[in-house]
Amino acid sequence: MAAPVDLELKKAFTELQAKVIDTQQKVKLADIQIEQLNRTKKHAHLTDTEIMTLVDETNMYEGVGRMFILQSKEVIHNQLLEKQKIAEEKIKELEKKYPWVRMNNNNKNHDKRSGLDDGGLD
């Protein structure tokens, strides 16, 4: 009679381990995405700061794929501001999901530990 219970516990433990690993991967992915978006936002901000020191009538080249397009300073400035705004929105969206993912991961780790503490798997 004890063997079927042990098999069920092992199966439940294995499933729980898989969920923990999946959740940890989601947390790492969210961290990486947030870091990348912060870099993009900072790069756009620094570029915009440098561009704003130039004379207003200055024309610049915007890189598009394998070519460059002549644009006014105002157009480039607006594009950089939009890039920063989009990155900030995506960061906020990820941070809304992020606490849920981290809390979910902590709950699964607690469940796994409590199963071991109870002597569920020997």
Side-chain angles (χ1 to χ4, degrees):
M1 187 79 178
V5 174
D6 287 344
L7 290 176
E8 289 176 20
L9 285 174
K10 283 184 180 182
K11 182 179 177 185
F13 185 71
T14 304
E15 289 173 4
L16 194 56
Q17 278 182 320
K19 288 179 184 179
V20 167
I21 290 170
D22 183 52
T23 304
Q24 287 173 344
Q25 288 174 346
K26 287 179 183 178
V27 169
K28 285 180 186 177
L29 181 62
D31 282 339
I32 291 168
Q33 288 174 336
I34 289 172
E35 286 176 25
Q36 180 63 37
L37 288 167
N38 279 325
R39 278 193 296 266
T40 300
K41 187 175 127 183
K42 185 175 183 178
H43 183 268
H45 174 71
L46 292 172
T47 304
D48 188 47
T49 303
E50 288 298 317
I51 286 174
M52 293 311 291
T53 62
L54 301 172
V55 181
D56 286 340
E57 294 80 31
T58 306
N59 285 324
M60 312 173 186
Y61 288 99
E62 173 191 7
V64 180
R66 295 173 64 187
M67 64 180 186
F68 295 94
I69 300 176
L70 188 62
Q71 299 280 5
S72 68
K73 175 184 167 183
E74 182 181 344
V75 170
I76 301 292
H77 172 68
N78 290 337
Q79 288 175 349
L80 290 169
L81 290 178
E82 184 66 23
K83 196 174 193 180
Q84 290 177 49
K85 181 181 166 189
I86 289 170
E88 185 64 36
E89 289 172 358
K90 288 182 179 179
I91 289 169
K92 286 181 182 177
E93 182 180 313
L94 283 170
E95 286 176 344
K96 281 183 183 177
K97 274 198 236 178
Y98 187 74
W100 175 83
V101 170
R102 183 166 302 273
M103 183 179 7
N104 196 9
N105 188 32
N106 289 340
N107 287 342
K108 287 179 184 171
N109 279 333
H110 175 71
D111 289 347
K112 190 166 77 171
R113 284 189 201 107
S114 67
L116 290 174
D117 292 343
D118 294 341
L121 295 178
D122 291 324

